[in-house]
């Protein structure tokens, strides 16, 4: 097969989406290779897991830098050293500056635990329950300077149950995240989809939404 896209995953915490991407990229026909995992928190549990999986890891501790851009310039050097071509944010809890995003425009994905454009920002599951929505889910999108905006590559929906708590809803959404992110990265890295304005088009072969509506709940 053709050369695989050298991809870095940026994390801050447990890295369960990172695990899903690493696992998917083991398939010989996967169009991206996970070449590096970077965390802004040296103690992130995901870093140790990536290392155990045989992936190169790096920590760029944001706390030792004077500002966001100083941190990002170090991060950029690490990414260039590893000849990284594409980034996946996976629970990366730092806002990125327009400078950094400009370096990676069209080459950086994020996963967000809600059906964008609903529930941008934090505490999405609590807010979904508070607003009484019946359908919730997750989104993989290209990163642009505006937080949780950018062309949407793929989404998965889950039904909200009467019995849901933020934790139970988060758990069902997370299951979908682990399926969705590898699927979205495959679509982008293989060149099956392209960005037209604010839309990602060309994924006519993508599977139907994974919405399971229970008969009672
Ligand atoms: C996920 O819910 C992701 O959507 C959000 O942060 C969480 C990260 O979880 N951006 P993990 O570190 O991938 O387990």
């Amino acid at each position: 097969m053709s050369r695989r896209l050298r991809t870095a995953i940026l994390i801050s915490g447990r890295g369960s989406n990172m695990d899903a991407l690493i696992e998917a990229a083991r398939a010989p026909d996967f169009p991206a290779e996970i070449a590096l995992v970077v965390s802004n928190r040296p103690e992130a549990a995901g870093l140790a897991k990536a290392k155990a999986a045989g992936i190169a890891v790096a920590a760029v501790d944001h706390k030792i830098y004077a500002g966001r851009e100083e941190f990002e310039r170090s991060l950029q050097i690490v990414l260039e050293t590893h000849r990284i071509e594409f980034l996946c944010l996976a629970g990366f809890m730092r806002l990125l500056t327009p400078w950094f995003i400009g370096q990676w425009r069209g080459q950086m994905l994020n996963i967000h635990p809600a059906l964008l454009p609903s529930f941008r920002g934090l505490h999405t599951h609590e807010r979904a329950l508070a607003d009484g929505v019946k359908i919730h889910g997750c989104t993989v999108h290209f990163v642009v300077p505006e937080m949780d905006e950018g062309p949407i590559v793929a989404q998965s929906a889950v039904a909200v149950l009467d019995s849901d708590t933020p934790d139970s809803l988060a758990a069902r959404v997370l299951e979908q995240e682990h399926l969705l992110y590898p699927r979205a990265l495959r679509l982008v890295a293989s060149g099956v989809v392209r960005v037209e304005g604010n839309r990602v088009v060309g994924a006519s072969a993508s599977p139907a939404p994974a919405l399971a509506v229970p008969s009672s709940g």
Side-chain angles (χ1 to χ4, degrees):
M1 70 172 287
S2 55
R3 210 181 55 80
R4 309 202 305 156
L5 195 63
R6 285 183 66 79
T7 301
I9 305 174
L10 269 51
I11 63 166
S12 298
R14 68 188 165 185
S16 70
N17 279 287
M18 174 204 78
D19 287 335
L21 289 169
I22 290 173
E23 187 54 37
R26 287 192 204 284
D29 72 336
F30 199 81
E33 161 194 6
I34 307 306
L36 179 69
V37 171
V38 188
S39 174
N40 65 306
R41 295 203 179 112
E43 72 283 5
L47 269 191
K49 284 196 288 177
K51 197 171 171 196
I55 311 280
V57 298
V60 182
D61 185 351
H62 67 273
K63 292 196 288 299
I64 68 171
Y65 294 93
R68 282 186 197 281
E69 203 162 316
E70 289 83 351
F71 158 70
E72 291 173 349
R73 288 197 184 267
S74 280
L75 176 59
Q76 182 71 13
I77 289 168
V78 170
L79 298 172
E80 285 171 8
T81 304
H82 286 263
R83 304 185 322 281
I84 297 303
E85 303 167 298
F86 198 87
L87 299 184
C88 289
L89 307 183
F92 183 68
M93 302 303 285
R94 295 297 294 167
L95 289 177
L96 295 166
T97 67
W99 172 77
F100 187 84
I101 292 169
Q103 302 297 308
W104 294 94
R105 194 152 186 142
Q107 297 160 284
M108 174 160 48
L109 296 178
N110 179 45
I111 188 156
H112 182 72
L115 291 173
L116 292 173
S118 292
F119 307 119
R120 294 183 174 117
L122 297 173
H123 310 299
T124 54
H125 310 303
E126 287 87 335
R127 288 159 57 208
L129 289 177
D131 283 1
V133 298
K134 300 300 183 196
I135 297 172
H136 187 45
C138 50
T139 303
V140 174
H141 63 97
F142 282 98
V143 177
V144 298
E146 298 74 28
M147 191 187 63
D148 297 331
E149 295 192 27
I152 291 171
V153 179
Q155 295 183 301
S156 281
V158 304
V160 178
L161 310 180
D162 292 351
S163 55
D164 265 327
T165 63
D167 284 349
S168 67
L169 187 53
R172 287 207 313 290
V173 171
L174 193 64
E175 267 176 40
Q176 292 303 317
E177 293 184 39
H178 297 162
L179 302 174
L180 186 70
Y181 214 167
R183 203 167 88 210
L185 178 58
R186 179 186 279 279
L187 287 173
V188 172
S190 64
V192 166
V193 294
R194 63 188 186 282
V195 178
E196 279 182 9
N198 200 34
R199 299 183 72 197
V200 174
V201 298
S204 52
S206 75
L211 176 63
V213 184
S215 49
S216 65

